[in-house]
Amino acid sequence: MTIESILMSDDSETTAIAAVSERTKREDERNQNAIADFKMVTFSLSGKDYAINIDYVKEIAKAGNFTYVPNVLPFVVGVYNMRGEIIPILDMRLFFNIQGAERSSDGLENLLILTVDEQTFGIIVDKIDRVVGVQKSSIRPPHPLFSDVNVKYISGVVESNKHLYILLQIETIFAKENLDANQYEIERQAQQRLRQEALAQQNSAQIANGVKNAEYEKQKDAPAEEDDTNYKFVVDSLKSYSKFFVSPINEKWTKARFAEWKNNRSGKSIQIQSEMDASEFLKTYWSAFNGSWWSKEFADSIYAMLPENSAKQIVVWNPGCGKGVETYCLACVLARKYPNSKMRIYAQDVDLLSVSNAPMLAIPADIASSWLRPYITKTATGADTFSKEIKDSIMFEYHDCMYTNALPATDIIFARDLLSFLDSDGQKSVITDFDEKLKGNGILFVGDNEELSTFPDFIEHTAGSITAYNKQ
């Protein structure tokens, strides 16, 4: 059955006249749907009508008794086994902070099963109504007075059959803004390969690499005066296409990369003219093992940088945790470094789906047999999962580090490749927050191509390929 036919079914007993009236009404709706160029699934939250583009709706369902998952966001009520696929279930009333009737623990919920960026999840709503077809031209711009929902989550408002529907901007709520998921993964993997090849070259050709490093340092400090206009255009384009903000934190890398970019663009425009160009420019920006499982050598390097600490509890702040892969690696390194301490890792990101799915992260077989083996156990079904101690140490949270963050005094801040994607005011605000929250004996990790030399409150120190900062 199609979603339309399911939503249009009616099991209630009606009189013959009412049945004819209902059929006529539905025929009118079908006729309207037939000429419409936009279809949406409508539902209600706390008495107000909402809608979602039908392209995102995989199916509808009724379910309850969701499996509880510890240390997840408050609006993630648990997980649900949908024909063998484990999916997270999100309560939209809690997400939007909408008051509603208290639910029973064993009752069935109305679910919309959505797929966004190849990730499947369910959302709980009060009532699922029907499929409505409208003309795209009838969709009006959003206005904050129309809904209890923040206007940034609203795509528009549309009237149909005497109902005013709030059309939700699903790609904004649940996906990375202005970023194609498939391209993101391709670029990330390419960046990882480049970094690993560079590290291998350093290990196998130390002398030759020393010459390259000298040339690189010379390039980093070289002024861009010879092509200042092109450089400024590139800086503006990075901000526009990738939300990458050039500042003293990353200016040396940006200038060196611009010189390399200009030399390698034979026959092509130096200017960045698309998101693809911006991604290409930033390929070598990302830190080693950014967003991927750490090698044993890299884990050992992080281990060596961590300060001695005999505290009963080690508090860690990991803003920009993404899908949580590095967070788990860090948790395992910390468990080895501080075996007698209790860990508390606050892992945060503005990517809702990533932090919602992070507690259920799948572990590939080759990773399960690597240096992480001591921290991995088996589930009842034989799948590999992190031990209870590791999972319990991490609190995944949906949070923007630009806003007030009521964290306790912190021993370790792990924020790689984060600062460059904040504007200048945001960078200053977050670094001030780092300074205020980091303990005197704490340590701060930022991106490989980010530096805090213009911030006098931090002292840089390096061990091998890893650079970190302590407070003055």
Side-chain angles (χ1 to χ4, degrees):
M1 296 178 70
T2 65
I3 292 175
E4 290 97 327
S5 63
I6 295 172
L7 290 172
M8 288 182 178
S9 65
D10 186 359
D11 297 328
S12 63
E13 295 182 1
T14 60
T15 63
I17 295 175
V20 171
S21 175
E22 181 68 16
R23 283 197 298 272
T24 302
K25 179 182 177 182
R26 287 174 180 171
E27 286 176 3
D28 290 342
E29 290 178 0
R30 290 190 186 100
N31 291 335
Q32 181 181 353
N33 287 347
I35 62 173
D37 58 3
F38 182 83
K39 289 186 177 182
M40 56 190 187
V41 177
T42 62
F43 60 92
S44 62
L45 288 173
S46 192
K48 292 191 176 181
D49 294 320
Y50 294 87
I52 290 176
N53 185 337
I54 196 172
D55 291 342
Y56 293 112
V57 181
K58 184 176 182 180
E59 62 180 271
I60 63 172
K62 274 186 174 289
N65 295 319
F66 306 115
T67 302
Y68 170 75
V69 178
N71 292 342
V72 295
L73 305 169
F75 49 82
V76 180
V77 298
V79 295
Y80 173 54
N81 188 333
M82 188 181 72
R83 297 184 296 276
E85 182 180 5
I86 305 301
I87 64 172
I89 303 298
L90 286 62
D91 189 330
M92 296 306 288
R93 291 164 292 198
L94 295 178
F95 178 78
F96 290 132
N97 197 27
I98 296 175
Q99 295 296 325
E102 187 172 342
R103 73 166 57 89
S104 61
S105 59
D106 56 351
L108 296 179
E109 301 285 1
N110 293 306
L111 297 181
L112 285 171
I113 309 301
L114 309 181
T115 298
V116 180
D117 287 346
E118 299 184 352
Q119 298 189 75
T120 301
F121 56 96
I123 62 171
I124 296 173
V125 299
D126 289 343
K127 178 185 176 183
I128 302 171
D129 188 16
R130 66 187 68 221
V131 170
V132 175
V134 298
Q135 291 289 325
K136 286 184 179 179
S137 59
S138 67
I139 302 174
R140 301 304 179 203
H143 193 285
L145 294 180
F146 286 137
S147 173
D148 298 326
V149 175
N150 191 314
V151 70
K152 71 179 181 180
Y153 297 136
I154 301 174
S155 175
V157 293
V158 59
E159 186 175 3
S160 178
N161 296 319
K162 299 181 180 180
H163 285 271
L164 186 66
Y165 295 103
I166 312 300
L167 182 59
L168 296 180
Q169 185 81 13
I170 291 299
E171 57 270 32
T172 298
I173 298 173
F174 296 108
K176 288 180 179 293
E177 192 173 34
N178 300 321
L179 188 62
D180 179 82
N182 293 329
Q183 185 61 34
Y184 176 83
E185 288 302 323
I186 292 171
E187 293 295 330
R188 181 63 62 87
Q189 291 172 15
Q191 293 152 11
Q192 179 59 32
R193 287 196 298 270
L194 287 173
R195 292 295 306 178
Q196 290 173 341
E197 289 170 5
L199 289 173
Q201 290 174 0
Q202 288 177 7
N203 292 332
S204 62
Q206 188 64 45
I207 296 176
N209 191 64
V211 174
K212 290 180 182 178
N213 283 343
E215 293 174 353
Y216 179 71
E217 291 299 324
K218 183 178 179 181
Q219 277 189 339
K220 284 202 300 184
D221 296 327
E225 295 176 1
E226 62 186 48
D227 206 348
D228 191 53
T229 300
N230 277 331
Y231 177 76
K232 288 180 179 178
F233 275 127
V234 165
V235 168
D236 290 340
S237 298
L238 289 173
K239 178 171 64 175
S240 176
Y241 287 117
S242 293
K243 301 297 186 290
F244 182 92
F245 295 86
V246 177
S247 71
I249 288 174
N250 54 39
E251 192 171 34
K252 284 186 178 180
W253 176 86
T254 308
K255 287 182 176 180
R257 175 58 176 150
F258 175 72
E260 179 184 41
W261 174 264
K262 185 174 60 174
N263 292 334
N264 294 338
R265 297 292 285 181
S266 56
K268 298 180 182 179
S269 171
I270 296 176
Q271 296 307 316
I272 292 175
Q273 300 173 337
S274 66
E275 289 185 26
M276 188 69 72
D277 284 347
S279 295
E280 181 72 22
F281 188 95
L282 294 174
K283 265 187 177 181
T284 60
Y285 163 77
W286 306 101
S287 298
F289 297 97
N290 175 288
S292 62
W293 301 101
W294 294 355
S295 69
K296 183 180 185 304
E297 292 73 22
F298 185 78
D300 289 344
S301 298
I302 296 292
Y303 178 93
M305 287 288 285
L306 295 172
E308 297 300 323
N309 195 329
S310 59
K312 292 183 178 179
Q313 184 176 61
I314 305 294
V315 178
V316 182
W317 183 16
N318 178 205
C321 66
K323 296 180 180 180
V325 174
E326 287 197 85
T327 309
Y328 283 111
C329 292
L330 177 62
C332 295
V333 171
L334 295 173
R336 177 160 65 104
K337 182 73 174 184
Y338 309 112
N340 299 319
S341 301
K342 181 179 179 181
M343 301 298 151
R344 193 57 171 167
I345 303 174
Y346 296 90
Q348 303 171 342
D349 204 282
V350 294
D351 184 340
L352 175 61
L353 280 184
S354 289
V355 292
S356 297
N357 287 321
M360 300 164 283
L361 184 69
I363 306 175
D366 59 327
I367 299 301
S369 60
S370 69
W371 66 275
L372 292 165
R373 181 73 261 172
Y375 311 101
I376 293 175
T377 185
K378 294 282 187 182
T379 65
T381 61
D384 291 305
T385 186
F386 283 100
S387 66
K388 185 177 185 299
E389 291 74 18
I390 294 297
K391 284 188 172 182
D392 287 350
S393 70
I394 305 171
M395 173 68 77
F396 286 104
E397 300 177 315
Y398 175 72
H399 185 81
D400 188 338
C401 62
M402 293 280 290
Y403 299 101
T404 303
N405 204 329
L407 291 177
T410 305
D411 297 282
I412 300 165
I413 298 176
F414 198 81
R416 299 201 306 156
D417 301 337
L418 169 73
L419 296 172
S420 295
F421 295 90
L422 307 174
D423 60 28
S424 57
D425 290 338
Q427 291 175 3
K428 292 175 184 176
S429 174
V430 171
I431 292 172
T432 298
D433 210 13
F434 288 169
D435 186 29
E436 291 175 353
K437 289 183 170 56
L438 192 64
K439 294 180 181 178
N441 63 337
I443 188 170
L444 164 64
F445 294 89
V446 296
D448 291 354
N449 293 305
E450 296 174 336
E451 58 179 55
L452 304 182
S453 57
T454 59
F455 294 87
D457 293 335
F458 292 98
I459 304 172
E460 178 183 306
H461 63 103
T462 302
S465 62
I466 307 298
T467 298
Y469 293 85
N470 299 116
K471 291 175 69 171
Q472 284 274 28

